Amino acid sequence: MATITECRDALDKLADNLAGADGSVRGAAALDRTLSCHLTDLDTTFTGRLAAGRMVVESTVSGPPREKAQIRLAMTGDDLVAMVGGRLNFAKAWASGRVRLEAGFRDLLRLRSLL
């Protein structure tokens, strides 16, 4: 099972990848939205913001998110680490129910190039 530190490192790597992206990925990352990523097996939530092409993790809290973010993800820590490491395809994980993504319809359309 992935640790909280490994999951935080994966989120930091994802943030770095987004910051260095170009084209349609950069455009999708230019949203200004609140984010939450609930790790179901660790019962921990990372919260932050996606703005100006950057993702910033602002806090880590025990349990589910305390506030409803505009973009919400839920998955296991192992799946987060595997996705960021390129060993798990987001679309397949989402289609099979391993990853949950909740967001407004417009945000989902813009995020599809990220996923």
Side-chain angles (χ1 to χ4, degrees), residues 51-109:
R54 299 224 19 110
M55 183 181 82
V56 177
V57 176
E58 298 170 343
S59 67
T60 306
V61 296
S62 294
R66 291 183 171 77
E67 296 179 18
K68 187 176 178 181
Q70 293 165 309
I71 299 171
R72 300 167 301 283
L73 290 160
M75 68 193 79
T76 66
D78 288 340
D79 285 345
L80 172 64
V81 171
M83 276 193 304
V84 174
R87 296 180 307 279
L88 178 63
N89 178 278
F90 177 85
K92 289 181 182 179
W94 180 61
S96 69
R98 287 175 66 177
V99 173
R100 288 190 322 251
L101 170 64
E102 298 176 28
F105 183 70
R106 279 205 220 174
D107 289 341
L108 289 173
L109 289 176

Side-chain angles (χ1 to χ4, degrees), residues 18 28-29 31-33 35 48-52 54-55 71 111 114:
L18 286 175
L31 294 169
D32 184 7
R33 300 288 185 267
L35 300 169
R49 185 157 210 91
L50 182 64
R54 299 224 19 110
M55 183 181 82
I71 299 171
L111 289 170
L114 288 175

Side-chain angles (χ1 to χ4, degrees), residues 10-34:
L11 288 172
D12 289 343
K13 180 179 179 184
L14 178 60
D16 290 343
N17 291 347
L18 286 175
D22 57 3
S24 63
V25 173
R26 183 92 171 142
L31 294 169
D32 184 7
R33 300 288 185 267
T34 57

